[in-house]
Amino acid sequence: MKKVFFVFSFLLASLVLSAETANDVIKVFCDLDRVPDYNYSTLILENIDRNGKSEVIELNQYGSGVDNGLKNVAFDFKNPAGVKGMRVLQLEKIKKADDRWVYMPKLRQARRIPMTERTKSFGGTEFTYNDMTIRNEDEDTNEMLENPSKITVNGTEYTCWKIKSTPLKKSEVEYAYRISWFDKKTYIPVHIEFYDSKDKMIKLYECLKIDMVKGVTGIEYPLRRSNCISNLVTGRKTVATVKDFVFDEAISDEYFTQHWLVTGKAPKVKGKK
C-alpha cells in the first residue's frame, strides 16, 4: 500500500504523536499522507543535465482518497510532444503492492507496470516509479541514527529525525539503503540520501520549499511546493514544482479507471465526498 510522494502532505494535530522510534516517525508520516479526499494540480518537471541544458515536462495530477482511505492517483502528461498523451494510473491496495498502469500513446495501449520495472524512469525524469510513492514502515528495517539532527536545505534549517532505512526486499528497489532527515514540525522528509551496496551515494532527494496552504474547506496543509532529485552517477537532476493546486474539491471518480487511462476522458460530474 503506497502513497504519492511529493505532491502534498497533510498535517493533523490529533495524529502528530510523540514519535521516538524510527518506525514511529515513518508511520506518522504515512498516516498523515492519507488525506485530502480529493486533490488535483499541475506539475512542472524540469530535467537538467550536467551541462545545464534543460527540458520541461508539464502534467496534470489527480488524487482521490475516498475509497476506504486508499490513495488513488492519475497522471496526465501534456508537454512536450515526446510524452504528450502518456498517462499513468496508480491504485492502492490493502496489504499488497499497489496496481500501476501506463498508457503509451505511440503504442495505443495500456499495460500494467510490473515490480521489475518500477525502478525505471517516470516519464523520462530522474524520478523512478518507486520515487513517486512512499514506503511503509514495515517494508524496511528502520534505524534511528540521530535525534535531533540539524540540516539545512535550500537555505532553511530543519530540526529532524535522522533515520536509516534498509529495504527488506532489495530486488524491488534501485538502492541498498537510504538515509532520511524527517522534519520534526511536519514529519516531511526534507533530505534523503540513497546508497548502493558499496556505501556510495548514488541519488539525492531534497525538498526545496514547503508552503502552508488551505484547501477549499479551510483545512491547512503543508505543501511540498518544490522538490529536486539528483542522479549523482549521471549528473542529471529533475526539479519538480507544483504550479497550481486544489485540495478537497471533489473530482470525477472516472479519472481512476481503465477507461480514463486509455481515452484521457472523464465526465464533468464530480465524485461524491
Side-chain angles (χ1 to χ4, degrees), residues 45-59:
L45 306 179
E46 183 181 11
N47 292 327
I48 306 170
D49 68 18
R50 63 169 66 248
N51 298 315
K53 183 179 179 180
S54 67
E55 175 194 44
V56 175
I57 299 172
E58 181 176 344
L59 63 152

Side-chain angles (χ1 to χ4, degrees), residues 60-76:
N60 294 335
Q61 180 266 338
Y62 306 89
S64 170
V66 297
D67 184 12
N68 296 320
L70 299 177
K71 183 61 63 181
N72 299 322
V73 186
F75 297 96
D76 189 7

Side-chain angles (χ1 to χ4, degrees), residues 4-46:
V4 160
F5 186 61
F6 65 83
V7 178
F8 66 89
S9 287
F10 177 63
L11 188 63
L12 184 63
S14 63
L15 288 179
V16 177
L17 309 176
S18 178
E20 291 300 330
T21 71
N23 272 15
D24 287 341
V25 173
I26 296 173
K27 187 177 189 307
V28 170
F29 173 54
C30 291
D31 288 344
L32 292 179
D33 211 47
R34 288 198 168 278
V35 285
D37 287 344
Y38 294 96
N39 73 89
Y40 54 95
S41 59
T42 299
L43 305 180
I44 304 298
L45 306 179
E46 183 181 11

Side-chain angles (χ1 to χ4, degrees), residues 2-263:
K2 308 285 190 200
K3 275 66 70 178
V4 160
F5 186 61
F6 65 83
V7 178
F8 66 89
S9 287
F10 177 63
L11 188 63
L12 184 63
S14 63
L15 288 179
V16 177
L17 309 176
S18 178
E20 291 300 330
T21 71
N23 272 15
D24 287 341
V25 173
I26 296 173
K27 187 177 189 307
V28 170
F29 173 54
C30 291
D31 288 344
L32 292 179
D33 211 47
R34 288 198 168 278
V35 285
D37 287 344
Y38 294 96
N39 73 89
Y40 54 95
S41 59
T42 299
L43 305 180
I44 304 298
L45 306 179
E46 183 181 11
N47 292 327
I48 306 170
D49 68 18
R50 63 169 66 248
N51 298 315
K53 183 179 179 180
S54 67
E55 175 194 44
V56 175
I57 299 172
E58 181 176 344
L59 63 152
N60 294 335
Q61 180 266 338
Y62 306 89
S64 170
V66 297
D67 184 12
N68 296 320
L70 299 177
K71 183 61 63 181
N72 299 322
V73 186
F75 297 96
D76 189 7
F77 287 74
K78 297 300 185 181
N79 289 296
V83 294
K84 184 177 181 180
M86 176 181 169
R87 289 180 286 275
V88 177
L89 178 62
Q90 180 176 297
L91 306 176
E92 266 193 353
K93 301 296 180 183
I94 297 176
K95 295 184 178 180
K96 62 179 180 179
D98 56 316
D99 280 340
R100 298 186 210 181
W101 296 78
V102 60
Y103 173 78
M104 304 300 293
K106 291 183 179 179
L107 301 178
R108 295 186 180 181
Q109 66 178 15
R111 67 178 184 87
R112 187 187 298 270
I113 304 171
M115 276 291 184
T116 55
E117 293 186 16
R118 297 185 183 187
T119 62
K120 294 185 177 181
S121 168
F122 175 80
T125 71
E126 291 308 306
F127 287 96
T128 66
Y129 285 98
N130 281 332
D131 289 328
M132 301 302 293
T133 57
I134 295 170
R135 293 180 64 82
N136 291 327
E137 73 281 358
D138 58 0
E139 295 180 285
D140 304 310
T141 299
N142 299 301
E143 175 189 0
M144 184 74 71
L145 297 183
E146 194 175 342
N147 179 19
S149 177
K150 298 281 188 179
I151 194 167
T152 299
V153 180
N154 199 32
T156 300
E157 184 180 74
Y158 297 92
T159 301
C160 301
W161 293 280
K162 182 179 178 181
I163 296 173
K164 178 180 179 180
S165 301
T166 304
L168 295 176
K169 296 182 179 180
K170 295 183 179 180
S171 61
E172 294 181 356
V173 295
E174 59 273 24
Y175 55 88
Y177 64 91
R178 67 189 189 278
I179 298 178
S180 307
W181 279 255
F182 286 83
D183 173 37
K184 286 201 169 190
K185 290 184 179 179
T186 62
Y187 285 77
I188 290 175
V190 294
H191 182 101
I192 306 175
E193 299 173 353
F194 300 82
Y195 292 84
D196 64 14
S197 59
K198 297 181 180 180
D199 298 323
K200 179 181 178 181
M201 185 163 59
I202 56 174
K203 191 162 64 174
L204 172 65
Y205 165 84
E206 294 179 294
C207 183
L208 302 178
K209 186 179 182 182
I210 301 174
D211 283 341
M212 298 304 299
V213 301
K214 289 185 178 181
V216 297
T217 58
I219 297 175
E220 193 169 52
Y221 301 86
L223 172 68
R224 280 173 275 186
R225 174 77 72 173
S226 181
N227 309 267
C228 179
I229 195 153
S230 302
N231 186 322
L232 304 184
V233 178
T234 65
R236 287 170 49 87
K237 64 181 179 181
T238 298
V239 178
T241 304
V242 181
K243 181 180 178 182
D244 302 302
F245 64 90
V246 178
F247 294 156
D248 293 324
E249 181 176 282
I251 58 178
S252 172
D253 296 328
E254 288 297 312
Y255 282 106
F256 315 105
T257 65
Q258 292 290 316
H259 179 266
W260 173 84
L261 183 68
V262 174
T263 67

